[in-house]
């Protein structure tokens, strides 16, 4: 049996895992990821009961319950690299025996829901609406560091690369499907659904031009016009694709819900983004706690 060394799985002196400062008893069956640490309380204020809270760096966590369902809310910070940290560490807390440093024989599958903010790529998906990601489209390259046999939607990827003339000097875009079970729980006529794209940065990687030019100034327009078997890219953010990929590799279920606070197609921004986020949180919690 393989022993995982201390340099590979780092624990704090109190026995909590290195970055997120949590112990196994803090991981509920239902995990909610938010980017902004201030959004943790915006979610947990709806709970019936709070049992634990902690923070280390940008990773703030609250454990509580709603309608007799237990949840752990964790702020991941911004970007795919932080998701790599958080998702591997919560998996380790439930699926690795921390004392013996061995993988448990019986693995636990978690429900992971991202509640984030995002920009729409489509004119008909207005600000203040909610988008559910049926697929995650990753521009970040994190998943290429793992053994991903049979993980990616290759036909869809190839169609996207051809349509956009995607640069061979960038990391190959990858596409991963969400958890069908969680999609069924959270989907309704109130939300839009499609491909949620994940960028590795906020400015150039999302086509924003301040003082620096971008490699392909028409990329956003090409992404906007992509359509494959009635699938289109609905929105762009910075976490979803890695959540979907790592969750599938580790045996967890994941889906991403995003409040649309900007529309990149018509250059509009929500007049009250906090209200839009609250709407998305209340909708998602209601569905998850039914």
């Amino acid at each position: 049996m393989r022993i995982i060394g201390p340099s590979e799985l780092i624990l704090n002196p109190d026995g909590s895992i290195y970055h997120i400062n949590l112990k196994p008893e803090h991981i509920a069956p239902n995990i909610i990821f938010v980017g902004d640490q201030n959004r943790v309380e915006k979610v947990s204020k709806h709970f019936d009961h709070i049992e634990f809270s902690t923070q280390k760096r940008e990773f703030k966590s609250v454990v509580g319950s709603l309608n007799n369902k237990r949840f752990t809310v964790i702020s991941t910070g911004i970007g795919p690299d932080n998701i790599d940290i958080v998702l591997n560490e919560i998996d380790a807390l439930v699926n690795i025996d921390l004392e013996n440093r061995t993988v448990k024989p019986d693995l636990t599958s978690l429900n992971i829901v991202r509640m984030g903010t995002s920009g729409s790529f489509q004119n008909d998906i207005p600000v203040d609406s909610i988008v559910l990601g049926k697929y995650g489209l990753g521009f970040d390259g994190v998943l290429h560091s793992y053994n991903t046999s049979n993980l990616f939607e290759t036909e869809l990827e190839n169609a996207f690369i051809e349509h956009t003339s995607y640069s061979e000097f960038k990391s190959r875009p990858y596409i991963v499907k969400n958890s069908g079970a969680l999609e069924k729980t959270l989907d309704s006529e109130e939300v839009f659904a499609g491909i949620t794209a994940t960028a590795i940065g906020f400015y150039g990687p999302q086509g924003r031009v301040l003082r620096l030019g971008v490699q392909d100034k028409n990329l956003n327009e090409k992404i906007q016009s992509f359509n494959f078997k009635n699938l289109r890219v609905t929105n762009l953010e910075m976490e979803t694709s890695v959540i979907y990929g790592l969750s599938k590799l580790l045996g967890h279920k994941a889906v991403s819900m995003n409040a649309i606070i900007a529309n990149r197609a018509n250059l509009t921004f929500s007049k009250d983004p906090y209200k839009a986020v609250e709407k998305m949180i209340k909708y998602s919690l209601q569905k998850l706690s039914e």
Side-chain angles (χ1 to χ4, degrees), residues 153-168:
E153 303 288 333
T154 307
E155 185 182 14
L156 188 51
E157 290 173 359
N158 290 337
F160 177 83
I161 291 167
E162 180 179 0
H163 177 81
T164 57
S165 301
Y166 204 80
S167 172
E168 63 180 6

Side-chain angles (χ1 to χ4, degrees), residues 75 108 115 150 162 185 215 217 240 251 271 279:
S75 63
T108 297
M115 296 186 187
N150 302 316
E162 180 179 0
T185 297
Q215 177 269 328
K217 64 181 181 181
T240 292
K271 294 180 179 178
K279 171 185 171 184

Side-chain angles (χ1 to χ4, degrees), residues 54-66:
T54 190
Q55 181 166 4
K56 183 180 179 183
R57 304 185 187 187
E58 64 266 52
F59 307 114
K60 183 174 183 177
S61 302
V62 170
V63 185
S65 57
L66 176 63

Side-chain angles (χ1 to χ4, degrees), residues 169-184:
F169 297 104
K170 296 178 180 178
S171 178
R172 176 184 167 89
Y174 63 87
I175 299 177
V176 185
K177 196 177 187 310
N178 70 10
S179 160
L182 278 179
E183 177 183 337
K184 186 176 180 181

Side-chain angles (χ1 to χ4, degrees), residues 11-16:
L11 301 178
N12 297 312
D14 66 352
S16 63

Side-chain angles (χ1 to χ4, degrees), residues 66-266:
L66 176 63
N67 293 340
N68 294 316
K69 287 191 175 183
R70 196 164 177 253
F71 293 87
T72 300
V73 189
I74 306 174
S75 63
T76 63
I78 298 174
D81 50 343
N82 276 16
I83 296 299
D84 182 66
I85 291 170
V86 175
L87 223 155
N88 273 291
E89 291 196 356
I90 65 168
D91 177 77
L93 289 171
V94 295
N95 288 320
I96 295 176
D97 183 323
L98 300 185
E99 183 176 351
N100 297 320
R101 294 184 169 274
T102 57
V103 176
K104 294 178 180 179
D106 298 316
L107 300 179
T108 297
S109 178
L110 302 169
N111 296 318
I112 300 171
V113 177
R114 163 165 158 75
M115 296 186 187
T117 56
S118 184
S120 168
F121 260 135
Q122 305 296 336
N123 274 303
D124 63 319
I125 301 179
V127 294
D128 304 328
S129 60
I130 302 171
V131 168
L132 182 155
K134 294 180 73 69
Y135 293 84
L137 163 60
F139 300 126
D140 53 273
V142 169
L143 265 291
H144 296 313
S145 295
Y146 294 92
N147 182 351
T148 55
S149 300
N150 302 316
L151 175 69
F152 300 139
E153 303 288 333
T154 307
E155 185 182 14
L156 188 51
E157 290 173 359
N158 290 337
F160 177 83
I161 291 167
E162 180 179 0
H163 177 81
T164 57
S165 301
Y166 204 80
S167 172
E168 63 180 6
F169 297 104
K170 296 178 180 178
S171 178
R172 176 184 167 89
Y174 63 87
I175 299 177
V176 185
K177 196 177 187 310
N178 70 10
S179 160
L182 278 179
E183 177 183 337
K184 186 176 180 181
T185 297
L186 286 159
D187 198 11
S188 78
E189 294 181 355
E190 296 180 51
V191 304
F192 294 89
I195 302 171
T196 294
T198 296
I200 198 169
F202 185 78
Y203 288 97
Q206 294 192 31
R208 290 184 171 91
V209 176
L210 301 184
R211 290 205 311 120
L212 298 176
V214 294
Q215 177 269 328
D216 183 352
K217 64 181 181 181
N218 298 313
L219 182 59
N220 279 3
E221 287 74 17
K222 290 186 282 188
I223 295 173
Q224 180 184 2
S225 63
F226 176 69
N227 191 304
F228 182 76
K229 297 182 179 179
N230 293 320
L231 272 174
R232 59 180 182 163
V233 181
T234 47
N235 58 311
L236 177 65
E237 44 85 271
M238 295 182 64
E239 287 83 27
T240 292
S241 64
V242 191
I243 294 172
Y244 284 8
L246 289 179
S247 293
K248 280 206 167 181
L249 290 173
L250 292 165
H252 305 300
K253 302 177 182 68
V255 76
S256 177
M257 305 293 288
N258 275 277
I260 298 300
I261 62 172
N263 186 297
R264 301 299 300 283
N266 55 39

